[in-house]
Amino acid sequence: FFSKITQPKNQATVIVYIASIVTACINLIHISDAASDAMLFFLNNNQLVKGIIYSASFFAGSWLFSFVFFRISFFIIGNLTPENEMDELIKNNKEIAWLHAVIIIGLTFVISPALSKIATSFIPYPKLPF
C-alpha cells in the first residue's frame, strides 16, 4: 500500500508511515500478554505445538488489525475532509498526515486492549467449579 503513496517520498508520507509502525507496535505490545499467557498455559499442559499455534495466530491477528486500523483511518479522514487523501499526501499536506497519525494511534489505544482480552478468551482454560 505504501508503494502507491510514497512515490515521491515526502514528510507527509513519512508521518503516516511512522504512525502505522507505531500502531503495529502498540498492537504487538498488547497482544504479547495474551500470547505469553497462551504459551505458558500450553507449556504447563505439555502442548508446545498448540502454544506456538495460539501465539502465532495472536501475533498474525495483531498485524491484521493494524492494517484494518490503518484502512479505517483513511475511511474516517475521507469522510471528514473534502480532499482526496492520497493526492494530498503526495502533495506533502502534513496536516492531513498528522490527522491520519492521530486517528490511527487513537484507535489503536482504544481498541487494542479490548482485542487482547478477546484473544485471551480463546485460550481453553479449565472451568472452575465456582
Side-chain angles (χ1 to χ4, degrees):
F1 178 75
F2 272 112
S3 65
K4 293 179 184 176
I5 65 171
T6 57
Q7 283 316 337
K9 287 198 187 295
N10 56 35
Q11 290 178 345
T13 57
V14 170
I15 290 169
V16 175
Y17 182 71
I18 290 172
S20 67
I21 298 290
V22 168
T23 298
C25 291
I26 293 168
N27 282 331
L28 287 173
I29 288 168
H30 283 285
I31 205 68
S32 66
D33 290 334
S36 64
D37 289 345
M39 186 59 83
L40 289 174
F41 173 73
F42 286 114
L43 281 177
N44 286 335
N45 292 324
N46 295 324
Q47 298 174 331
L48 177 64
V49 175
K50 271 192 174 181
I52 292 171
I53 290 170
Y54 270 77
S55 297
S57 64
F58 290 162
F59 284 120
S62 174
W63 281 106
L64 176 69
F65 281 113
S66 297
F67 178 74
V68 168
F69 291 154
F70 183 77
R71 296 306 290 171
I72 288 173
S73 78
F74 270 85
F75 176 75
I76 291 171
I77 299 298
N79 288 329
L80 291 177
T81 60
E83 292 91 10
N84 182 351
E85 300 85 39
M86 298 298 226
D87 293 339
E88 293 300 316
L89 290 173
I90 290 171
K91 292 178 190 173
N92 201 26
N93 187 339
K94 291 181 220 111
E95 291 83 13
I96 293 286
W98 281 112
L99 194 56
H100 275 289
V102 168
I103 287 176
I104 192 173
I105 293 172
L107 279 172
T108 303
F109 272 119
V110 170
I111 296 174
S112 189
L115 292 175
S116 177
K117 287 184 181 179
I118 291 170
T120 305
S121 71
F122 286 106
I123 301 171
Y125 292 121
K127 303 291 184 213
L128 296 176
F130 50 88

